[in-house]
């Protein structure tokens, strides 16, 4: 591995014009594809194997032409104080608005509030339901403008008018904080390298990689039904790992220059050593993201594969374009410590004039590691107890999916949601659709009535509409309005109660009862994600565990890495619950509405955080193993690893936290939550687990940390992540190719 990457790095350095041309061409091609691609529609939200999806598919078969996936809008009207919606003037305004809405070319139907029983009992609130032929993302701007204009005209007449539903669905915005995150990353890089040129290389390559990845996703969005959130998450992860991977290679390049090597040789060795760690770190991230496919939710699978593709691009760019750009930069990228010496200053780890040669002052990483190996048990206990305390809120985790009730109060969708709750009850925003399949029943109409009657007798039901059969008379839909809001535990209990009652009815009548609708689908998603979490953990952690055994040639080091990850991810989930569910610091994070944590959050965090956690494990511990295999004692190897890697790992973690935190400003609640969760998870994992718990455990284990059964050692391939082959060649005075020839003879 190291020898191959060494040659690749030297080749990219020499053929930098060709390498740069290839990446620029790929970026241009992806950009042209994105610009010429048709706009993306709604991302597919099918959930194979669930009752809600089965009912949805049945509706498409038995009610053809119903535009089940078409956009909807609820135009909600509220009368001025002291008036009612049934007053003549207000009624005329609403009817005029309904007529204007019905003229739209993409409008399938508009329900008049006064003929559809859509006026509240106190008469102050009414709503008109608008159904469109196409999805919200496919609506023409003129159609959306007509909807907003009609609402504005009703407002001008004195009514309060808000619009709910997905007709006004927009691409989520990330806000200015994303730019701030990149700016923070730039500042950290300048401080780390002490050079604008060296700092600019990781940023440039990361932006090119993300540009290729996100443009490719945009180009394929329509064909693959990728949602806008997919590209945002790919950008988030791609930026973070892209900067980090390039940072590690540039840092190693400067270290190689400081040892007196020529620039092409330094580039080759940087890619051969740090590049090997990048490959395996990237592999763990890709495994974790692609492994999301085991959940069998197409939207989640697509998100994972798209993000994994962006990570793979980041790895390839780090291995090829970084050495090419180093070739262009030439002497503008200085050896490590060269800037301070040129200016007549001494670095902290350089010998002072009155300090004996060969005894440089220890840097902060060395001093910290020395402290940890002297008091490993105390550090270990403090780290574990601290993360355990942070994880306590995770015991109260409640899962759900965001709806209009989680939108900021500044949006018309949220205000419409609140008006409907006020006028018709909280459950009105999440009605349940019950589908009765009586094709096998001898008396379909009686079966429909039995189901409706059974549901009316259940607790928590406010209203049940009469059964609405299809043309064939073998299937009917019944709308059920709960007395609780869509994301509540009470509504979830009602869904299960209806399904339980349906089992008894099927036994008596032969008619199958299915519950669907957005609320039921959200419940099914949460349950499916919960059921998939353990198999996913076993798959991803198991594969990565095997990969790390190959990398570190140890059993206990990968095991310690996996257990440390579990601590950090549980602590991060605890922080997410505290902020987004309990409301701690919610104002600071811009969280206007607390509630259940997004259903996908635990499994998504497990996947992404595991991959990122292994990044720091690989980057930091490979340096320790490199020192250990070259004769240093276990504790000294830990100190040596921190001496060379702590500063870079710290910078990488701060950069990744800044990039993730930048997405907290997103208008999309899911993106905001994921940005915060990943940022806090990186903090816990990098600074508590990898910087404190890992050296403490290695110090306690001593030589046992690097134990591997001899039979397994012989069976495993030697991937040479530490660059031992390169070092051996240098000691013999030969290049890697000549060294291989010597080994053969």
């Amino acid at each position: 591995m190291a020898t191959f990457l060494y040659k690749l790095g030297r080749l990219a350095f020499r053929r930098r014009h060709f390498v740069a041309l290839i990446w620029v061409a790929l970026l241009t091609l992806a950009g042209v594809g994105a610009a010429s691609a048709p706009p993306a529609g709604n991302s597919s939200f099918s959930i194979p194997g669930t009752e809600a999806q089965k009912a949805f598919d049945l509706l498409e078969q038995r009610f053809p032409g119903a535009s089940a996936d078409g956009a909807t809008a609820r135009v909600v009207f509220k009368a001025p104080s002291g008036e009612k919606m049934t007053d003549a003037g207000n009624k005329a305004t609403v009817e005029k608005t309904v007529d204007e809405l019905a003229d739209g070319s993409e409008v399938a139907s508009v329900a008049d509030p006064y003929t559809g029983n859509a006026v509240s009992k106190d008469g102050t609130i009414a709503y008109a339901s608008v159904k469109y032929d196409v999805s919200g993302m496919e609506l023409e701007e003129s159609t959306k403008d007509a909807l907003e204009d009609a609402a504005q005209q009703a407002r001008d007449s004195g009514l309060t008018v808000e619009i709910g539903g997905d007709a006004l669905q927009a691409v989520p915005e990330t806000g200015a904080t994303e730019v701030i995150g990149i700016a923070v990353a730039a500042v950290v890089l300048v401080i780390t390298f002490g050079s604008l040129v060296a700092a600019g290389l990781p940023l440039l390559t990361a932006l090119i990689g993300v540009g290729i990845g996100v443009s490719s996703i945009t180009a394929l969005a329509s064909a693959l039904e990728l949602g806008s959130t997919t590209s945002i998450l790919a950008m988030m992860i791609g930026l973070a790992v892209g900067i980090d991977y390039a940072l590690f290679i540039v840092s190693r390049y400067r270290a190689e220059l400081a040892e007196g090597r020529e620039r092409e040789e330094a580039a080759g060795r940087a890619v051969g050593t740090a590049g090997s760690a990048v490959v395996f770190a990237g592999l763990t991230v890709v495994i974790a993201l692609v492994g999301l496919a085991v959940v069998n939710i197409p939207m989640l699978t697509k998100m994972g594969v798209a993000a994994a593709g962006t990570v793979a691009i980041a790895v390839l760019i780090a291995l090829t374009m970084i050495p090419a750009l180093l070739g262009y930069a030439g002497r503008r990228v200085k050896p490590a410590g060269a800037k301070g010496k040129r200016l007549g200053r001494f670095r902290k780890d350089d010998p002072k004039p009155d300090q004996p040669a060969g005894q440089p002052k220890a840097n902060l990483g060395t001093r910290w590691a020395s402290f940890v190996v002297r008091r490993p048990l105390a550090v270990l206990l403090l780290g574990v107890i601290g993360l355990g305390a942070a994880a306590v809120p995770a015991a109260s985790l409640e899962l759900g999916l965001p709806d209009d009730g989680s939108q900021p109060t500044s949006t018309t969708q949220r205000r419409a949601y609140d008006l409907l709750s006020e006028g018709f009850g909280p459950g009105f925003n999440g009605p349940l659709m019950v589908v009765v399949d009586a094709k096998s029943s001898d008396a379909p109409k009686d079966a429909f009535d039995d189901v409706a009657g059974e549901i009316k007798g259940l607790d928590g039901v406010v209203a049940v509409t009469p059964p609405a059969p299809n043309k064939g008379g073998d299937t009917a839909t019944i709308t059920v309005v709960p007395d609780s809001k869509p994301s509540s535990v009470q509504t979830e209990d009602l869904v299960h109660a209806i399904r339980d009652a349906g089992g008894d009815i099927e036994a008596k009548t032969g008619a199958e009862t299915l519950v669907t609708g957005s609320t039921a689908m959200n419940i099914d998603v949460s349950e499916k994600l919960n059921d998939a979490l353990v198999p996913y953990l076993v798959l991803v952690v198991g594969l990565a565990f095997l990969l790390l055994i190959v990398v570190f040639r140890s059993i206990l080091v990968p095991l310690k890495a996996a257990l440390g990850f579990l601590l950090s991810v549980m602590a991060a989930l605890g922080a997410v619950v505290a902020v987004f569910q309990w409301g701690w610091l919610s104002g600071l994070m811009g969280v206007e509405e607390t509630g259940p944590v997004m259903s996908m959050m635990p499994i998504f965090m497990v996947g992404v955080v595991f991959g990122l956690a292994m990044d720091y494990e690989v980057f930091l511990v490979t340096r320790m193993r490199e020192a250990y295999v070259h004769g240093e004692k276990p504790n000294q190897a830990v100190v040596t690893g921190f001496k060379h890697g702590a500063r870079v790992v710290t910078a990488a973690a701060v950069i990744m936290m800044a990039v993730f935190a930048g997405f907290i400003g997103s208008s999309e609640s899911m993106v905001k939550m994921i940005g915060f969760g990943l940022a806090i998870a990186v903090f816990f994992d990098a600074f508590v687990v990898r910087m404190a718990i890992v050296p403490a455990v290695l110090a306690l284990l001593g030589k046992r940390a690097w134990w591997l059964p001899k039979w397994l050692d012989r069976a495993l391939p030697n991937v040479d992540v530490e660059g031992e082959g390169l070092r051996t060649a240098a000691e013999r005075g030969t290049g890697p190719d000549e060294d291989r020839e010597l080994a053969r003879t």
Side-chain angles (χ1 to χ4, degrees):
M1 171 71 77
T3 302
F4 169 76
L5 293 178
Y6 165 83
K7 293 193 292 184
L8 178 64
R10 294 194 63 168
L11 178 65
F13 187 95
R14 288 196 307 271
R15 307 295 184 189
R16 46 188 172 273
H17 302 309
F18 181 68
V19 172
L21 181 63
I22 288 177
W23 285 112
V24 171
L26 288 174
L27 179 61
T28 304
L29 184 63
V32 170
S36 58
N42 277 345
S43 57
S44 175
F45 198 63
S46 61
I47 324 168
T50 62
E51 180 174 312
Q53 185 63 46
K54 182 180 178 181
F56 187 81
D57 295 340
L58 183 66
L59 284 174
E60 290 188 330
Q61 295 174 9
R62 306 285 175 86
F63 293 83
S67 299
D69 59 345
T72 59
R74 276 179 171 175
V75 184
V76 188
F77 306 89
K78 183 175 182 180
S81 178
E83 299 182 18
K84 293 189 176 182
M85 291 305 305
T86 51
D87 294 347
N90 294 335
K91 186 175 181 180
T93 299
V94 172
E95 289 176 341
K96 180 182 178 182
T97 303
V98 169
D99 291 339
E100 291 177 354
L101 291 172
D103 290 337
S105 60
E106 295 180 308
V107 175
S109 63
V110 180
D112 189 311
Y114 302 102
T115 59
N117 193 27
V119 181
S120 63
K121 289 182 179 180
D122 62 4
T124 60
I125 296 174
Y127 69 91
S129 295
V130 186
K131 183 75 174 176
Y132 294 91
D133 293 321
V134 296
S135 65
M137 295 299 290
E138 295 172 320
L139 281 177
E140 297 287 344
E141 286 300 320
S142 58
T143 301
K144 296 181 180 181
D145 291 341
L147 176 62
E148 292 177 323
D149 290 343
Q152 186 57 49
Q153 290 179 20
R155 291 190 191 104
D156 295 340
S157 300
L159 298 178
T160 299
V161 186
E162 304 296 345
I163 304 171
D166 61 354
L168 296 182
Q169 181 179 357
V171 175
E173 300 175 355
T174 53
T177 50
E178 178 191 347
V179 179
I180 295 174
I182 296 176
V184 171
V187 171
V188 173
L189 288 169
V190 171
I191 294 173
T192 302
F193 292 136
S195 163
L196 289 175
V197 175
L201 296 183
L203 280 176
L204 177 62
T205 54
L207 290 173
I208 291 174
V210 167
I212 294 173
V214 173
S215 297
S216 300
I217 291 170
T218 304
L220 298 172
S222 178
L224 300 181
E225 296 183 326
L226 303 176
S228 56
T229 305
T230 303
S231 60
I232 292 179
L233 294 176
M235 180 192 303
M236 182 191 303
I237 297 170
L239 268 177
V241 301
I243 294 174
D244 278 8
Y245 294 166
L247 165 65
F248 280 100
I249 291 179
V250 173
S251 298
R252 189 62 182 250
Y253 171 76
R254 297 176 71 237
E256 296 291 338
L257 288 179
E259 293 183 9
R261 292 189 172 89
E262 295 294 328
R263 295 188 176 274
E264 182 179 331
E265 177 69 11
R269 288 181 175 271
V271 175
T273 52
S276 297
V278 165
V279 169
F280 281 96
L283 271 176
T284 59
V285 180
V286 169
I287 288 172
L289 291 170
V290 174
L292 291 169
V294 303
V295 183
N296 197 25
I297 295 179
M299 184 185 73
L300 192 59
T301 300
K302 292 171 185 176
M303 288 167 56
V305 171
T310 307
V311 171
I313 292 171
V315 172
L316 292 174
I317 282 188
L319 298 178
T320 56
M321 196 167 186
I322 282 293
L325 292 178
L326 289 172
Y328 283 119
R331 297 185 179 279
R332 287 185 290 274
V333 176
K334 304 295 181 183
K339 181 180 178 182
K341 292 176 182 177
R342 189 179 70 248
L343 297 177
R345 298 194 306 269
F346 288 94
R347 298 174 64 210
K348 290 183 179 180
D349 52 353
D350 287 332
K352 298 294 183 287
D354 58 349
Q355 187 176 347
Q359 296 181 12
K361 183 179 179 180
N363 61 20
L364 181 59
T366 302
R367 296 197 298 274
W368 168 250
S370 299
F371 169 79
V372 173
V373 297
R374 287 197 305 270
R375 299 173 179 82
L377 188 59
V379 172
L380 176 61
L381 290 175
L382 185 62
V384 171
I385 292 172
L387 291 178
V392 167
S396 303
L397 177 67
E398 295 178 8
L399 298 178
L401 286 178
D403 54 20
D404 284 347
S406 60
Q407 296 264 19
T409 53
S410 58
T411 63
T412 186
Q413 291 93 333
R414 171 61 187 278
R415 292 195 293 264
Y417 180 98
D418 292 340
L419 284 176
L420 288 172
S421 296
E422 176 188 341
F424 301 91
F428 193 79
N429 283 293
L432 307 174
M433 179 177 287
V434 178
V435 182
V436 185
D437 180 7
K439 196 169 187 177
S440 302
S441 176
D442 296 332
K445 188 176 183 306
D446 292 340
F448 301 154
D449 293 337
D450 287 345
V451 172
E454 190 74 25
I455 294 174
K456 285 180 181 178
L458 296 175
D459 294 334
V461 175
V462 171
V464 178
T465 64
N470 63 346
K471 290 183 179 179
D474 58 2
T475 308
T477 60
I478 302 171
T479 301
V480 181
V481 179
D483 66 0
S484 52
K485 63 181 183 179
S487 58
S488 67
V489 176
Q490 292 83 354
T491 301
E492 182 178 349
D493 292 340
L494 177 60
V495 169
H496 290 302
I498 295 174
R499 288 172 174 172
D500 292 340
D504 296 335
I505 293 174
E506 183 175 8
K508 292 186 295 185
T509 66
E512 185 179 12
T513 302
L514 305 170
V515 184
T516 189
S518 60
T519 302
M521 196 163 283
N522 289 351
I523 292 170
D524 287 349
V525 167
S526 298
E527 292 179 352
K528 186 157 189 171
L529 288 167
N530 284 339
D531 293 341
L533 185 57
V534 172
Y536 176 69
L537 267 174
V538 172
L539 173 69
V540 172
V541 176
L543 288 176
F545 181 76
L546 295 176
L547 185 66
L548 292 179
I549 289 177
V550 174
V551 173
F552 296 126
R553 309 195 77 78
S554 164
I555 298 292
L556 296 179
V557 170
L559 180 62
K560 171 263 309 169
L563 294 177
F565 148 74
L566 290 175
L567 277 174
S568 58
V569 78
M570 289 303 297
L573 277 175
V576 169
V577 169
V579 173
F580 291 89
Q581 188 174 308
W582 292 358
W584 294 4
L585 301 177
S586 56
L588 181 63
M589 298 297 167
V591 180
E592 297 187 18
E593 182 72 17
T594 60
V597 172
M598 184 184 64
S599 299
M600 286 182 284
M601 194 66 186
I603 201 163
F604 191 83
M605 278 190 65
V606 164
V608 177
V609 174
F610 183 80
L612 300 180
M614 295 307 103
D615 278 4
Y616 300 117
E617 181 76 12
V618 170
F619 289 133
L620 193 60
V621 180
T622 47
R623 274 288 196 168
M624 299 178 189
R625 174 165 174 78
E626 186 176 346
Y628 177 75
V629 298
H630 288 101
E632 291 190 8
K633 293 182 179 179
N635 282 7
Q636 183 57 41
V638 171
V639 175
T640 301
F642 268 77
K643 174 185 176 182
H644 294 292
R647 184 181 184 187
V648 180
V649 168
T650 300
V654 172
I655 289 169
M656 197 171 280
M657 288 168 56
V659 172
F660 287 147
F663 289 84
I664 296 175
S666 174
S667 61
E668 179 73 25
S669 59
M670 181 171 73
V671 175
K672 180 191 293 287
M673 190 179 294
I674 289 177
F676 171 80
L678 294 183
I680 198 71
V682 168
F683 172 78
F684 287 143
D685 196 86
F687 294 107
V688 181
V689 175
R690 309 303 153 187
M691 291 290 186
I693 294 178
V694 165
V697 171
L698 291 177
L700 290 171
L701 291 175
K703 291 184 178 180
R704 294 186 297 275
W706 307 107
W707 172 80
L708 185 69
K710 292 183 179 179
W711 64 268
L712 185 56
D713 186 40
R714 292 191 298 268
L716 292 177
N718 185 9
V719 294
D720 191 19
V721 175
E722 301 86 6
E724 177 65 17
L726 302 181
R727 184 182 295 268
T728 302
E731 290 172 352
R732 292 177 177 172
T734 63
D737 293 331
E738 292 85 349
D739 187 66
R740 187 176 300 164
E741 292 299 322
L742 287 173
R744 288 175 182 170
T745 58

